[in-house]
Structures are given as structure tokens and as C-alpha cells.
Amino acid sequence: MAYLKLQYMSAALSGMTTIHAYLPTDAMSGTPVEPPFKTVYFLPGYSNDAFNMMSYLGLRRECELKGIAIIIPDGNNSFYVDHPERMCCYSTFAGKELVEMTRKLLPLSAKREDTFIGGISMGGYGALYNGLKFRDTFSKIIAFSPSVSVYDLIIGHDFMFPQEIFINACGSKEDYMNSDLNLDRFYRETPNEEIPKLYMCCGKQDGLVVNAVNRFASVLDEKKFPYIYTKGDGNHELDYWERHLDEAFSFLMDIEPGTRNRLVLGNFG
């Protein structure tokens, strides 16, 4: 596994940004992978950054086991939406600029069928939103306990999130409900054949987002859109997300869960 930390001047963010990358170079699964690599752009959640995701989740392990490159940017509590009036466009960054820049710098596949987006919580929202917005780029989405409804998350938990956070991210309730930022609306109005393949998981005890995720799933059911939604016991917590990494990354790589989940000891030297 190769790890790289890259910094560059981002036009979308109007400033320097740092991205982290894992590349599957060591074949610790016993299955060598040659570049250009399949790639997932993995978006951190609210109040977290790339370093936390790398420290507390087994993404490095999944990189080697599944033979997939993982690119992790910082989200800076942006919900990964654009604000051109502030010269800060996290949607354009996550869905377009980041892909183009990393493809220039790293041995990544430029094919849509090899390019995915994922994330946790706020990053799950960003993945669902930008995965559909930039569906010509991304063929699959993985979303762990996604904050599917920014309105429900913040207004419904104002003891944790001041309402100003919602207004700052999404504008007024009316603007949000009538825009593509409202994922129920965005997915309902998009033809099924244009929606990337989708995997979601959310714990049944996740009081922050489970109701909104279930409602979003019902929208997909109404559309008769095929997707994977794993529930099970768990809260909005690292332990739950860690337990579902194999299933999610197996989905990205079109393999059965549990079939490539053990590192080959001999490859440690």
C-alpha cells in the first residue's frame, strides 16, 4: 500500500487544499492489481477530516484487500455543496476538480465504470448528492449513515446544530426543498437509468439520520430503483461503519462480501 499526501491550489475552493490517497501497490490480498486503479473518492463527515477517517477506519486495509485506490479530501463542514458567491464550491471540488486533478497526478482509471464516490454522515450526503449530480463521472455510490436530509438533521437536532448551519449550507427551507439539494426530490425526478448503482447502510438505533434514510429508501422503492440498503443494530458510530466496510467495498468491486477480507501474511515480508 502506498500513501500519499498531496497539496495544490484549488480553483473551486479559492485556496490551497490537502488530499490524502491510498494506492493498492502491495497485493496483500494475494491478488496483484495493476494500474490504472479503480478509485473511490471518500468524503468525511461533519466535524471530521481526512486524517480522522484514515486514523479510525480501516480504509488502508480495504485499499489493499479490494485493490482499489481511495482518495480522501477534507470537507470542512461544507455538506459538499457550492457557494460561488463565497468563492467556495465544494460540490465542484468533490465531483469534478478533485477527480480531474488526481487523475493527472496518480495512476487512476479515467473510466466511469471504475470511478466511485462514497462517504459517511455529511460525507454520505455529499456522495449521494454529487454522485447523482456528476453521474457522468461516477458509476457507484456508497453511503454510510448518510445525512440524507440536511433539514431534518439540523432542524430536528438544533441542540447539536444551530439553525444558522442549515441556512449557511442550504439557504431557506423553501429554497432547499425546491432544489436538487433535497435528495428526495433530486432522486425522485431523475430517471432510473441515470442513477448510479447505490449501496447504503444505517444502524437501526441511529437517531440522527435513520428516519430520513428510511424515507429516502421509500422514494427509491416507489421508483422501483434497485439498490442495497443494509440496516442492523448500530448507532451513528465508527464501530457500525467499520463493520460494513467489507460489504460496501465488495459492492464497489463486484465481488461477494467476505471473499477478499483477509490480508496475506506472507506478503508482509
Side-chain angles (χ1 to χ4, degrees), residues 97-215:
E97 182 188 272
L98 181 63
V99 176
E100 293 173 351
M101 181 59 69
T102 52
R103 284 176 174 174
K104 288 179 183 178
L105 298 174
L106 302 172
L108 308 179
S109 173
K111 297 178 181 178
R112 178 182 182 269
E113 60 264 31
D114 294 340
T115 308
F116 322 121
I117 191 168
I120 288 174
S121 192
M122 179 192 78
Y125 171 84
L128 289 167
Y129 171 59
N130 291 297
L132 187 57
K133 180 179 177 181
F134 297 98
R135 50 192 177 272
D136 289 342
T137 296
F138 302 108
S139 62
K140 291 183 182 180
I141 301 168
I142 54 174
F144 296 74
S145 307
S147 304
V148 172
S149 171
V150 182
Y151 182 81
D152 285 4
L153 174 71
I154 295 175
I155 304 303
H157 301 89
D158 56 3
F159 60 95
M160 297 175 62
F161 302 98
Q163 295 188 22
E164 288 77 13
I165 294 176
F166 173 78
I167 296 170
N168 182 61
C170 302
S172 69
K173 177 182 179 182
E174 182 179 5
D175 289 342
Y176 169 78
M177 290 299 180
N178 293 315
S179 74
D180 289 344
L181 297 179
N182 176 358
L183 294 185
D184 288 353
R185 176 184 182 276
F186 195 12
Y187 276 75
R188 183 178 283 115
E189 295 183 355
T190 301
N192 281 2
E193 61 271 17
E194 296 183 17
I195 300 176
K197 294 179 181 179
L198 174 59
Y199 168 92
M200 296 190 302
C201 64
C202 187
K204 293 188 292 185
Q205 291 80 30
D206 190 336
L208 274 178
V209 301
V210 68
N211 291 335
V213 175
N214 287 339
R215 187 179 67 231

Side-chain angles (χ1 to χ4, degrees), residues 34-81:
E34 296 296 328
F37 300 121
K38 296 184 178 183
T39 311
V40 60
Y41 294 84
F42 201 83
L43 309 180
Y46 195 90
S47 77
N48 273 291
D49 61 8
F51 182 77
N52 275 351
M53 291 293 94
M54 295 162 57
S55 299
Y56 295 111
L57 279 179
L59 297 176
R60 174 178 178 175
R61 190 171 186 270
E62 291 304 311
C63 164
E64 277 298 340
L65 285 171
K66 305 306 189 291
I68 186 172
I70 304 176
I71 310 297
I72 316 169
D74 288 334
N76 295 317
N77 297 345
S78 65
F79 284 91
Y80 303 96
V81 302

